[in-house]
Amino acid sequence: MGSEGVNDMQDVNALVTLQISLARIEETLKPLAALVQTVAEVKDVSKEALTCAQQANQKLEAMEPVVNKAQDTADDALRKAQSALDKLNSQDENRKWISRSFYGPLISSLAAVLSAAILAYIGLSGR
């Protein structure tokens, strides 16, 4: 009965060691169980984020023609404004030349009349 008792004791020690190991494994697995729920939540949030991103992309794609049209309109308005500015600058230059063309002969004529009057006065005074 002596060797049978030692064998029973060894079996009990093996069972205790096995129970301790199982307890340690259970303690190690507890955080993993919490991680499973967290991973599931992250997966759900990721799916929602992907859906939102896809919707935003669709909205942007839908807006692209409108943005392109607005860009074309803005470019056309800029070209027209530049053309109008060029015409105004040209008209301003034309006004300067017309002024010069009008005032130049007028001043020359007044100078000639004034010179003639002075010469006539000198000619009359000298007699």
Side-chain angles (χ1 to χ4, degrees), residues 49-65:
L50 179 61
T51 302
C52 288
Q54 289 170 339
Q55 289 172 352
N57 188 38
Q58 289 170 351
K59 288 178 182 178
L60 286 173
E61 286 175 352
M63 289 178 62
E64 189 173 357

Side-chain angles (χ1 to χ4, degrees), residues 66-79:
V66 175
V67 170
N68 288 340
K69 185 176 179 182
Q71 179 68 41
D72 292 343
T73 304
D75 290 342
D76 188 43
L78 181 61
R79 279 191 299 277

Side-chain angles (χ1 to χ4, degrees), residues 77-125:
L78 181 61
R79 279 191 299 277
K80 287 179 180 177
Q82 187 62 45
S83 175
L85 185 60
D86 291 342
K87 286 179 184 177
L88 284 174
N89 287 338
S90 173
Q91 289 175 357
D92 192 37
E93 280 296 315
N94 290 339
R95 272 191 293 255
K96 285 181 185 177
W97 280 106
I98 289 172
S99 309
R100 291 176 186 159
S101 297
F102 176 75
Y103 289 123
L106 181 64
I107 291 171
S108 297
S109 298
L110 287 175
V113 168
L114 189 59
S115 297
I118 291 173
L119 288 176
Y121 179 72
I122 292 175
L124 290 176
S125 317

Side-chain angles (χ1 to χ4, degrees), residues 11-89:
D11 288 343
V12 169
N13 283 339
L15 286 175
V16 169
T17 303
L18 187 57
Q19 281 182 328
I20 291 171
S21 296
L22 284 174
R24 286 183 183 155
I25 290 172
E26 284 178 355
E27 288 299 315
T28 304
L29 291 177
K30 281 183 183 177
L32 292 178
L35 278 177
V36 169
Q37 183 177 352
T38 303
V39 168
E41 290 172 4
V42 168
K43 186 177 178 182
D44 291 341
V45 170
S46 297
K47 284 181 182 179
E48 288 177 26
L50 179 61
T51 302
C52 288
Q54 289 170 339
Q55 289 172 352
N57 188 38
Q58 289 170 351
K59 288 178 182 178
L60 286 173
E61 286 175 352
M63 289 178 62
E64 189 173 357
V66 175
V67 170
N68 288 340
K69 185 176 179 182
Q71 179 68 41
D72 292 343
T73 304
D75 290 342
D76 188 43
L78 181 61
R79 279 191 299 277
K80 287 179 180 177
Q82 187 62 45
S83 175
L85 185 60
D86 291 342
K87 286 179 184 177
L88 284 174
N89 287 338

